[in-house]
Structures are given as structure tokens and as C-alpha cells.
Amino acid sequence: MPKVIKAKINGILLRVPEGTTILEAAEKVQVKIPTLCKHPDLTASAGCGICIVRIKGTAKMLRACSTPIEEGMEIITHDPEIVEIRRTVIELILSNHPNDCLKCGRNNNCELQKLTADFGIRQESFPQFLKNLPTDNSTNTITLEPPKCILCGRCVEVCQNGQDVWALSFLERGIKTRISPAGEIQLADSPCVRCGQCSNHCPTGAIVEKDHTGKVWEALLDPDKFCVVQIAPAVRVAIGEAFGFPVGTNLTRKMYAVLRRLGFKAVFDTSFAADVTIMEEASEFEERFINNKKPLPLITSCCPSWVDFMEKFHGDMIEHFSSCKSPHEILGVLSKTYYARKNNIDPAKIFMVSIMPCTSKKYEISRSDEMFASGYQDIDVALTTRELSRMIKQSGLDFNHLPEEECDSILGEYAGAGVIFGATGGVMEAALRTANYFITGNELERVDFDAVRGLKGVKEAEIEIAGKKVKIAIAHGLGNVEYVINKVREAKKNNKEMPWHFIEVMACPGGCVGGGGQPYNVTDELRIKRAEGLYKEDKTKEIRCSHQNPYIKRIYEEFLEKPLSEKSEKLLHTAYKSRPTYRK
Amino acid sequence: MEQKISIEIKNLVDKWKSKEGNLIMILHEIQNHHGYVPRELSLELSQMLDVPLARIYEVITFYNFFKLTPPGKHKIAVCMGTACYLKGGQDLINEVKNILHIEPGQTTKDGQYYLDMVRCLGCCGLAPVMMIDEKVYGKVKKSEIMDILSKHGSTD
């Protein structure tokens, strides 16, 4: 038990465990001290100075975000002078920040804008000094506009220490300080894996997702195009945050309705393709685990940022990677082959849009020749949750009051297994349900695998299939990957037994529910609630295993033949190559 | 070439390996030898020290002393100390910028000239002052700069 500290905030006595910051302690007495550089996900950088408080007996004001409360402290969180200092800090930040809020990607959603409004700043108190630095659009997934950067350091912290990618850094010093990859290069030439966590943590418009909504509106207007759309599992439990729903509300059926009313001719669900992924991936696991056709462990490959990370830094792991494409790519190719043929639609006219929690999917859709397996680009545009929210608002559709609708058949109906893909451990759980059936021929009595759920950075477990122990590991957040990969590499080098047989990796903390394209202000509390929204849906589904989904059976009967068939390999699988870049 | 880089860096890394703060010491040695820190050497250093390139660039760009581009053959230092500033140092810098198409801190494309803005060369009585390599020019007029530069090399 940590020591208990007694202190007073605004005259109110409170007891908190040792190590609690003033910022956290203040919440216990109903004070939310204004902050800007502090993000609840990240270590405090004490960069901005908005959260200063007064301590009785000292002349110095201290930053609440990074000061642990001490025994006997008497803290004052607000008085006229403190408020005035905070206002000055904001005014100084504004003197280095462009005034183009109206045309900014974060308009109405910007933490600096909100503070400016809260403090009632109506004029320029200091002359403006703006940085003249070029915009970086090189990744085609995120846009970096250094002049809008307030140097809070969140993106650098999340990129370097959270994700262990080291694409972004603070270069130079003083007034010249800027965020940039190492040297005079663009992000596309850096180790950036497009996970978008920087854009998700940026308080201003300095890093935002590349907006592709224009392309979608254009296609919807084009009478020659047959526009279809799919929604990823994690989007349904997050989009509600943009419309005032409680966090984690599952809005699957409202989303089907809104997408149809936006003008899409067919609405599919990525969760269906997740079931297909599981059929293929569980078969791959069976081949490796039972038939020893390829080496263990098998490593999942649904996450394009993880694939990019592996190709850049862990090329020696390629033989362990599942060759299975990510679910939305599978749905893309099926829409332009199977669905097109069945409904007599010219696949050249099909325009497929993916609604994803993810910025990296924008990169994935053209990452290799295999993403054109239908003979066309399988996915035409990938939008993030944030972009779709904007499209809905532009249309004027009253999302909150729309009736619920069903998705289109057959690329829509999914098993519970398909929808938990959106949470860390979900792919593993879904795969285990089906792999068990493939290997033993028996159905599980209980399909929940509690050990793979939750937000622990690396989850390890042992389960039994057909009397054999299957050792598994799940990592989420790229910063947690090294531990796992190093153990595998060591075992390989020394010809030792592999520490695990099956490994799942998702680049973003929490898995796709915490994706870089999801609504802002994500914390672990939100990640858990979003994941709960998915697990709840899984629990209520009559069919919870991918191989039991009757529509999956049908698509294999009518089209794909069987998992890992020649046709499946051609359409649903991909290849990887080492693309070394400078070391992160 | 690549092998040469590896050997050079390896020797430096071996020399400083056990010392704390070795990155800065190694960067100093590289800059002393090359006049700047070439990117290829930073890449190699990143591998050998197991320090991300981003961190190395954070250090290089934090300290004014380290340069990322090769120095020019001739170093032009235009003084912007108080006296020279008042006597029109900025006009001199603007004229050099116009003639050579470089900003302070940059080297001309042909590698002939490097332009630096300095604070006080210690001869304020001669303000405004500029210095090319070891030669000091005092009471410089804007109109004289072209001539002064051409004494040291081509100004194309």
C-alpha cells in the first residue's frame, strides 16, 4: 500500500496516495485545472504552463500536471492572478499560432481554440510571429503542418516512447524548435508507420488525418459509379462520441442506415470479412501447428501499421506472418469479384469505401500489387471515423434519430468473432474459437477467452487444443512489440523451443478501438468502454464463431471453395518484403 | 566508402563506449574531422550506439555548434554586434544574400562560400565589419561587397 498524503486544496482537506499529482488530486475536490500540453495518456512534459497553481509558503507557482502532492501542502488552484497568468500563457502561444481556425482540420475540435474561448481572448495582445515551414503530405495518411504546432510534445512522446517508431522528433531549440523527422526529409522517408497516434494526440491542427471525403462525395455524385461501403468493427462503438452518445454505444444499425442515406447502394460490414480472415488464418495455424508446413509462431497481419513496422524493422519475421490480408481488403476484393458477378454489376463501376478507425488503411489500399487482386484497386478510398462523422454532419442527416437498418447480404452478416476484431486480443480469440474446431472437429462449450482481453501491454496465455498446449501472446501498442519479437528471435537463434505458437499484434494501444483515426481525447477508460461495446455485441450474438456463420459457409461453397484454396490464395492473401529504413 | 565509414565510426565508438554522454563527444570528433556531421555517419552511429537517428538529430540541431552541411571553402562572417548593427550590418548581409543566393548558415551550391552572422569581431571602430576567412574588411559599403567577394573566388 502506498503512503497516504494529507494536503489541502483550496482549503479542503484531502488524502491521496503518494505520487498523486496536484492535477489528479484537484479532481477529487471538483476542480478541473485547465491543461494544454498534458494528455491523460502520456507522461507530463510540463511544457505549456497553463496548469500552474499556488502553494502557500512558496513564491514560485508550480505546474499541477507534473508536481506530486506533498504532505501538508496547501494549494490554491485559482485566484485572479493565476487566471491572468494562464491567460497570458495562452496569448503567448497564440502569438506563434496562425489564426486560420475557420479553415483548420481541428476547427471546433481544438484544445487551444477551446481554451482561447474559455478565457475570452478577443484580441491579439502580442504581435504574431509565425513559422514558415512546409506542410508534409508525403505519407498520404496524415498531414503535418508545423506552423500550427504549439510544441506540447505529445506527438513526439507517443511516436518515440509510446509507439517506439521514432519518426518524429524535436529539432533545433528556442524559437526555432520544430517537430520533424530526423533531418531535411519528409515523413514518408522516415520510419513513420502511419499509425496516426500523433494525429490522435495532437491538441491542435498541426497533425490531422489526410481528408479524403471529397473523393467520396465525388463518387457518390457520379451516375456511372456503383458506390458501396463497409464499416470496421471498432468504428461502430466510437462514432457515437461525435454525436453525443455515451462512450461505447454500439451504433451498427444506425450506421447502416446513415450510409445508405448518404447514397451508398450497398452497405457491407468488415466484420463479415473478419470471419473470412479467421477461416483462412485458423487454417494457416492448423497447417503450422499440426502439419508443421511452416514455422511457428504464426503472427497476425490484420494491422497495416504493424505490417509496415515489421517490414521496416523485423524483416526476419516475414516467414512467421500470416499471409492473410486484412479484413477490409478481403471485403474489397470480394465486392469486386463475387458480389459483382452475383449481382451482374461491372466491377469497374464499383467504388468501394472503407470506414476505418485507422489512418494507416489509407496507405494499405495501394501498398502492393496484391491490393489490386480483383483487377481493380480493391478499396478505392479509406475514410477514418472522424471523416465519416464530418460527412454525416455535412449531409444534415440526423444520425441520433435515424431508424436502425440491416446491412446488405451477403457481405454483411457476421459472427460475434468478427466484431471483436476491433479490440486487442479479439483476433486471437476469434481465431482460437475456429482453430479449435478445425483441429479437433468439436465445438467449444465456452467460447470466451478471458485471458486475451484487457489492456495489459503484453498478454500471455496457454490454452489446450486436442490435448496439446497452445502458447499465445498478444501485444498492442508498437512499444510493446520488441519484448515479444526479441524472445522469438532469441529462440530462433539458439534453436530453442518457441516461447509462443501464435502471436497477435495491433499497432495502436487498445487495438483498433484506440485507432489513430478514432474520435479525439482517447484514454484507457474510453478504450475499455469502446471494447466493452464490442464484447457485449459478441455476447448477444446467436452465432459467435466464424466457421458457424452460414454466410461464410455459403461464400466458400459458391465461390472460394475452401480456406487456402487456389482461389483464396489468389484473392485473399498477400506477400511481404523487407523494406529496411534507417533504424528507428 | 561504406566500409571506410564503418571503420571510422567503429574506432570512435570504441574510444568513447564506456563514457557517459559519449554521443556528443563522438559528434565533436566527427565534426572536427569533416567540418560537419554527414548524414551517412549519423546513420552508422545510430546503429552502433543503438541510439535512434531522431535522437541524434535532436542533439545535433540543439547545439548551434554542430553543422549538417559541409562548410564552404571560404567563410564569410558578417558582424551584427551592436556597433555593426547600428552602422548597417543588415544591409551587408542582404547584399551578400542577393549576390550568393544563400541565407546565413548556408553554403553556396558550388561549395565556395559559407555565410555566417556573428556577434562582434572585436574591431567596433571599423564598423560595419565583415571577415572572409582570416581577412578583416572594415567600414564596408554595400557597393564594395561584390569586389571583396571576387577577390576570394567566383561569385557566379
Side-chain angles (χ1 to χ4, degrees):
Chain A
M1 274 295 280
K3 215 176 119 189
V4 173
I5 304 276
K6 270 188 294 183
K8 272 185 182 174
I9 294 185
N10 301 335
I12 304 170
L13 187 70
L14 80 165
R15 290 180 170 78
V16 291
E18 192 175 22
T20 306
T21 63
I22 296 175
L23 183 69
E24 292 157 346
E27 283 179 21
K28 300 206 186 306
V29 291
Q30 298 81 43
V31 178
K32 218 170 165 299
I33 299 171
T35 55
L36 182 55
C37 69
K38 176 79 182 87
H39 190 288
D41 252 9
L42 307 171
T43 318
S45 69
C48 72
I50 303 261
C51 66
I52 47 140
V53 292
R54 195 191 294 281
I55 317 286
K56 253 193 197 156
T58 59
K60 227 170 126 185
M61 294 204 180
L62 294 176
R63 293 171 193 221
C65 68
S66 56
T67 311
I69 214 160
E70 282 171 28
E71 183 68 35
M73 257 187 183
E74 289 187 42
I75 298 152
I76 295 154
T77 63
H78 56 93
D79 63 26
E81 196 192 358
I82 293 174
V83 170
E84 194 47 42
I85 292 173
R86 286 180 186 154
R87 187 198 316 279
T88 307
V89 170
I90 299 166
E91 285 172 336
L92 283 167
I93 293 171
L94 290 175
S95 74
N96 285 322
H97 188 84
N99 281 341
D100 59 355
C101 299
L102 286 177
K103 287 175 240 159
C104 176
R106 288 296 292 271
N107 188 19
N108 257 340
N109 221 335
C110 166
E111 294 175 40
L112 177 60
Q113 194 183 42
K114 183 180 178 299
L115 277 174
T116 306
D118 289 349
F119 278 80
I121 296 168
R122 305 282 156 83
Q123 59 187 22
E124 251 170 46
S125 302
F126 301 100
Q128 280 224 313
F129 176 83
L130 300 179
K131 284 179 197 145
N132 183 19
L133 293 166
T135 298
D136 185 344
N137 256 321
S138 60
T139 63
N140 200 30
T141 54
I142 54 164
T143 300
L144 171 65
E145 284 185 74
K148 290 183 182 170
C149 172
I150 56 162
L151 304 174
C152 68
R154 288 185 192 174
C155 60
V156 175
E157 168 74 13
V158 78
C159 185
Q160 296 186 348
N161 298 329
Q163 296 292 73
D164 198 22
V165 168
W166 294 84
L168 286 169
S169 45
F170 268 131
L171 295 191
E172 309 202 50
R173 71 195 286 184
I175 190 82
K176 284 184 162 174
T177 311
R178 62 194 163 101
I179 44 161
S180 161
E184 301 303 314
I185 57 166
Q186 294 205 299
L187 272 175
D189 303 314
S190 81
C192 173
V193 294
R194 296 108 167 153
C195 69
Q197 285 299 317
C198 54
S199 74
N200 206 285
H201 285 84
C202 180
T204 71
I207 308 181
V208 291
E209 72 282 352
K210 179 98 197 284
D211 187 296
H212 288 114
T213 55
K215 280 188 179 178
V216 177
W217 280 123
E218 205 179 299
L220 285 168
L221 200 66
D222 186 342
D224 276 343
K225 293 240 155 69
F226 188 88
C227 292
V228 299
V229 66
Q230 58 173 313
I231 60 166
V235 177
R236 68 202 65 208
V237 287
I239 194 162
E241 290 164 38
F243 296 89
F245 287 91
V247 177
T249 310
N250 189 322
L251 294 162
T252 310
R253 290 190 171 79
K254 268 192 197 301
M255 285 195 71
Y256 297 152
V258 84
L259 289 165
R260 229 172 247 129
R261 292 188 189 196
L262 277 172
F264 289 101
K265 298 226 168 67
V267 180
F268 303 130
D269 202 309
T270 315
S271 310
F272 170 86
D275 282 338
V276 179
T277 304
I278 287 304
M279 295 295 282
E280 299 291 323
E281 213 160 273
S283 306
E284 282 182 292
F285 182 69
E286 185 188 0
E287 283 214 321
R288 291 180 191 231
F289 189 67
I290 301 292
N291 308 327
N292 304 318
K293 279 197 180 159
K294 276 183 184 170
L296 286 164
L298 176 68
I299 305 179
T300 62
S301 61
C302 318
C303 169
S305 286
W306 161 231
V307 168
D308 198 19
F309 192 81
M310 182 277 294
E311 289 188 327
K312 280 175 172 150
F313 305 117
H314 304 295
D316 55 330
M317 292 292 139
I318 285 181
E319 60 173 347
H320 296 284
F321 253 55
S322 158
S323 61
C324 197
K325 286 182 187 172
S326 73
H328 90 123
E329 285 293 342
I330 288 183
L331 202 91
V333 73
L334 290 177
S335 73
K336 293 189 182 187
T337 52
Y338 174 71
Y339 177 84
R341 203 172 309 162
K342 214 171 151 77
N343 294 284
N344 232 341
I345 303 164
D346 177 3
K349 292 190 170 169
I350 295 184
F351 190 89
M352 170 50 107
V353 179
S354 297
I355 312 294
M356 298 283 126
C358 180
T359 46
S360 197
K361 297 282 178 192
K362 291 174 182 287
Y363 151 75
E364 186 188 27
I365 60 176
S366 58
R367 68 170 275 275
S368 67
D369 292 345
E370 290 86 11
M371 305 300 134
F372 298 76
S374 63
Y376 308 90
Q377 184 168 324
D378 298 329
I379 303 292
D380 291 279
V381 174
L383 295 184
T384 59
T385 311
R386 299 196 289 265
E387 287 166 278
L388 178 67
S389 319
R390 289 202 293 274
M391 280 188 79
I392 295 172
K393 288 173 183 172
Q394 286 161 32
S395 70
L397 289 165
D398 182 2
F399 186 59
N400 301 51
H401 298 106
L402 280 181
E404 301 199 328
E405 287 181 13
E406 295 303 319
C407 60
D408 280 72
S409 195
I410 137 167
L411 305 177
E413 299 90 341
Y414 52 92
V419 84
I420 58 174
F421 259 60
T424 165
V427 176
M428 178 63 75
E429 182 164 349
L432 289 175
R433 292 178 189 175
T434 291
N436 176 77
Y437 173 75
F438 283 173
I439 293 169
T440 65
N442 301 322
E443 297 290 359
L444 289 162
E445 260 174 52
R446 186 169 184 273
V447 299
D448 302 276
F449 290 86
D450 298 319
V452 306
R453 300 184 183 185
L455 288 185
K456 195 167 162 241
V458 178
K459 292 167 274 185
E460 297 174 73
E462 238 181 56
I463 57 149
E464 216 178 89
I465 294 182
K468 284 172 83 174
K469 285 215 172 346
V470 181
K471 288 192 272 187
I472 56 173
I474 294 130
H476 61 109
L478 287 171
N480 289 317
V481 167
E482 193 154 299
Y483 164 81
V484 175
I485 294 295
N486 281 348
K487 278 203 149 183
V488 172
R489 196 170 281 143
E490 207 180 285
K492 271 174 90 151
K493 205 174 115 196
N494 302 322
N495 247 334
K496 289 252 175 69
E497 197 199 327
M498 280 296 162
W500 305 287
H501 303 116
F502 200 174
I503 297 169
E504 179 204 292
V505 177
M506 293 294 157
C508 291
C512 308
V513 289
Q518 294 277 58
Y520 296 112
N521 306 321
V522 67
T523 58
D524 277 351
E525 197 189 331
L526 258 73
R527 292 183 181 98
I528 290 168
K529 282 188 180 163
R530 289 174 185 170
E532 273 170 7
L534 297 178
Y535 286 120
K536 220 185 280 168
E537 185 179 355
D538 169 42
K539 196 105 201 169
T540 56
K541 282 261 177 193
E542 208 172 302
I543 292 166
R544 297 183 63 191
C545 302
S546 304
H547 60 274
Q548 296 167 347
N549 180 346
Y551 299 94
I552 291 293
K553 289 182 189 162
R554 203 164 115 200
I555 200 167
Y556 275 100
E557 272 162 27
E558 289 180 9
F559 186 64
L560 292 168
E561 295 155 23
K562 62 181 184 28
L564 309 182
S565 70
E566 204 178 307
K567 194 166 209 168
S568 299
E569 290 282 356
K570 184 174 166 275
L571 297 178
L572 313 182
H573 290 257
T574 182
Y576 310 101
K577 64 173 180 211
S578 193
R579 309 172 199 255
T581 172
Y582 66 78
R583 195 201 160 270
K584 58 175 195 298
Chain B
M1 177 69 185
E2 239 167 62
Q3 212 183 351
K4 235 173 84 188
I5 290 178
S6 294
I7 293 167
E8 182 187 337
I9 296 284
K10 197 177 172 308
N11 288 339
L12 287 175
V13 170
D14 285 345
K15 181 173 163 192
W16 293 101
K17 206 181 219 156
S18 54
K19 304 246 174 30
E20 220 178 300
N22 55 11
L23 174 61
I24 290 181
M25 299 318 293
I26 294 170
L27 290 173
H28 268 284
E29 293 224 22
I30 293 174
Q31 173 137 324
N32 281 345
H33 189 250
H34 294 267
Y36 72 113
V37 185
R39 189 171 177 87
E40 309 84 72
L41 265 63
S42 292
L43 286 163
E44 192 71 27
L45 189 56
S46 158
Q47 297 267 333
M48 288 202 185
L49 284 181
D50 200 24
V51 173
L53 191 73
R55 175 55 41 83
I56 293 180
Y57 268 73
E58 284 178 340
V59 171
I60 293 175
T61 59
F62 184 85
Y63 295 104
N64 222 333
F65 174 79
F66 293 120
K67 306 277 177 239
L68 284 165
T69 46
K73 199 169 152 202
H74 304 291
K75 183 182 170 187
I76 307 168
V78 180
C79 187
M80 282 291 268
T82 313
C84 294
Y85 178 82
L86 290 170
K87 286 283 201 174
Q90 187 62 51
D91 292 342
L92 303 191
I93 287 181
N94 290 345
E95 184 63 9
V96 177
K97 276 163 64 176
N98 280 339
I99 296 172
L100 298 177
H101 308 291
I102 49 170
E103 294 290 321
Q106 291 180 343
T107 302
T108 51
K109 274 198 188 120
D110 62 2
Q112 284 290 315
Y113 293 102
Y114 171 77
L115 173 60
D116 204 3
M117 208 159 76
V118 297
R119 298 280 186 277
C120 199
L121 290 165
C123 43
C124 309
L126 298 176
V129 177
M130 68 187 274
M131 197 169 153
I132 301 186
D133 301 331
E134 301 299 306
K135 177 113 177 77
V136 178
Y137 296 89
K139 300 196 171 169
V140 181
K141 293 194 187 72
K142 198 175 135 185
S143 56
E144 296 167 358
I145 287 184
M146 184 63 119
D147 274 355
I148 294 173
L149 288 175
S150 50
K151 280 186 199 150
H152 292 267
S154 100
T155 49
D156 293 341

